[in-house]
Amino acid sequence: MSSSSTPRPTSASIGPQLPRINRRTFLIGLGALGAIGGVGFWATSGKHEEDAGTAFATPLAIPPLLQPEMLDGERVFRLSAQAGETELVPGVSFATMGFNGTHLGPTLRATRGDKVRVHVRNELAVATTAHWHGMKVPASQDGTAHQAIAKGTTWSPSWTVEQDAATLWYHPHPHGQTELQVGSGMAGLFLIDDKEPSGLPSDYGVDDIPLIIQDVTVQSGGQREGTPTVTPIGRIGNTVIVNGTHEPHFVATTRQLRLRVLNASAARCYNLELSTGEDFHLVGTDGGLLSAPAAMSTLLLSPAERAEILLTVPQDAEVVLRSVPHDLGMTKGDNMTSGAEDTFGILRITGSKTGTEPPLPTALPSANHPEAVSGVERHFMLGDTTINGKSMDMSRIDTVVKASSTELWTVENTSKRAHNFHIHGTQFIVAAENGGPPAPRNQGWKDTVFIEPGASVQLTVPFSEFADPATPYMYHCHMLWHEDQGMMAQYVLTNGEASAEPMMADGAMHH
Ligand SMILES: [Cu+2]
């Protein structure tokens, strides 16, 4: 493992490589698992059926739980950002970055009410940041480019966890460099628990399984790391890895599994489905649990979104969690180049040999949705890489919000590209989608919502009490190439006073 930082190629050239994801589709599946229906249009060509016996045979890696120290009443975690090389696909080394290792990061876990501190040491050759995605923290602890961590230094944010049980995550947020660093592997989960158990499977790595899904690029021939394809939604890879494992296999020891799925990809969207065609149950979205399990057969997850899924796997059954074609709302050609017509496996699950099938919970602990609205309504228009026609400027405050108020934000995608929309420092409710009720996948607490071209969402956004007129939070597209192109803006929380010029951290990567 090298300790030097090796940036991924950033060339915009589109290589001639074959779409490996499509070629390699459903190698397994063709025999014992039953034919895969709805195969995308590239997927039927070039199937390698001879691979069928060996595909999806690598045990799924589970990110380790990071053990905190208890110091002065704080739960103290230590992370160090590192670069190196990692063999993400058998025989193919990738230039990668991670926390406490060369790829991905450990899982952090805390309970509502805990005081948390994280020491983040930067051992990269470049500046980075550590953003707590979905966490209700003061803006000064949020880990955006305003809290840059220069190489060789340590940043030590702290806060008190005051939000519902949820599957949150952490990743860098350096201005203009987020896609490179996240795409190289800098991502980890941050699980929040409630004091009361939820009744859902909760034995980490046993029946409560984290799935961090990313795509990487392998050159044609399968020997070397390649250059991702530039598409209207950003750069996409041709090979999927889960928790850093290529073609992973999980052997269940219980009949019911809770999958905590994070799309940590830069741009690729996944439309999750079970190879059996059976329904699964959505039990949680970005910021918490739903009030009751919701049955569905497919679930679209755009970058940064999370879904907690409850799944029953029959005894000895073979089930593949896969991604199937979907409509991102763009032209047929743009959908296709953006990966929306691909079909590929994500994880093979073998059912347990024993155990009984527990009943599905009928109700889940879920916080009430906000109703009171301050009367403030705002409108945001998404362009190709702009918000309200503007590009990100770290020295400009775009929106001033009264602390502790609840606002109604309408976000409209006026471009021809698919986007999503993430607001820092809060969890919101999708009150309406295109004037009607939200899609089933957008129930519950969200911090990132997918918006296809021509669509609009209305968000009820309860803002926190952390007034700080000089330190902005971000809102932005979480398709990371769009974000890096400037599709991001800043808001501050105030107690009614005017906002101040944003303070720039030393070494901040603004231009
Ligand atoms: Cu976007």
Side-chain angles (χ1 to χ4, degrees), residues 384 418-420 477-479 482-483 487:
D384 280 354
H419 294 298
N420 66 15
C477 180
H478 219 290
M479 288 171 169
H482 293 170
E483 176 188 335
M487 195 163 185

Side-chain angles (χ1 to χ4, degrees), residues 1-7 81-86 93-98 101-103 123-125:
M1 303 270 179
S2 147
S3 62
S4 67
S5 164
T6 314
Q82 301 171 15
E85 293 200 350
T86 311
S93 266
F94 291 76
T96 56
M97 298 178 177
T102 59
H103 187 251
E123 294 175 16
L124 302 171

